Amino acid sequence: MENISFRPMTLADADDILDIINYYVTNSTSYFSETPVKKTSISDMLNEKSMLPRYVVLSGKELIGFGYAYNFRSESTFSQTVKLTYWLKDGFTKKGIGSRLYNILESELRGLRISSILVNI
């Protein structure tokens, strides 16, 4: 795939991220909820202060995916454990884009000295 780029998430990405998630809520069993996600959930996540990486994937100027890491649990014994998830817009899977995004996220997490990554794809 040509013209694929990655950049940090911003609050302006919330609508596109919401569209991707809710496509899978409505059309698959890939999401753990049967109820569409509300924009406030995405906005809250993006407004939350975190040193963990959060990226979007662009095909040209179109946002086609996103991925981010978040704390696994609050107990100090899990301070070096995170969960990582990423999603791609329907039609952009099975092209190696998710692997590229994962590698970016994993590299940043290793730089933060994260020792355990649990992945939801």
Side-chain angles (χ1 to χ4, degrees):
M1 296 237 29
E2 302 292 322
N3 208 18
I4 299 295
S5 61
F6 305 85
R7 67 161 171 76
M9 279 184 195
T10 69
L11 192 54
D13 299 320
D15 287 330
D16 291 326
I17 291 169
L18 187 66
D19 289 345
I20 292 170
I21 292 172
N22 283 335
Y23 169 83
Y24 288 102
V25 169
T26 305
N27 297 294
S28 76
T29 57
S30 299
Y31 197 73
F32 297 127
S33 173
E34 297 171 346
T35 306
V37 175
K38 294 183 176 166
K39 186 174 180 178
T40 55
S41 296
I42 304 302
S43 299
D44 289 349
M45 185 265 298
L46 291 171
N47 281 323
E48 180 183 294
K49 300 269 187 244
S50 177
M51 296 296 294
L52 299 174
R54 299 173 179 162
Y55 278 86
V56 294
V57 184
L58 303 168
S59 176
K61 293 183 180 188
E62 178 186 8
L63 193 148
I64 62 162
F66 66 94
Y68 62 97
Y70 54 99
N71 293 318
F72 173 59
R73 294 189 50 164
S74 61
E75 296 90 354
S76 63
T77 54
F78 294 106
S79 65
Q80 297 303 307
T81 302
V82 299
K83 289 183 86 174
L84 184 150
T85 189
Y86 65 87
W87 296 81
L88 295 172
K89 196 174 202 180
D90 185 48
F92 289 92
T93 61
K94 300 180 183 172
K95 300 178 187 303
I97 299 168
S99 294
R100 290 172 59 192
L101 176 58
Y102 175 85
N103 289 335
I104 290 167
L105 294 166
E106 180 185 30
S107 177
E108 287 205 19
L109 290 168
R110 290 197 187 284
L112 293 171
R113 317 285 270 164
I114 299 297
S115 58
S116 297
I117 303 169
L118 308 172
V119 181
N120 292 328
I121 301 173

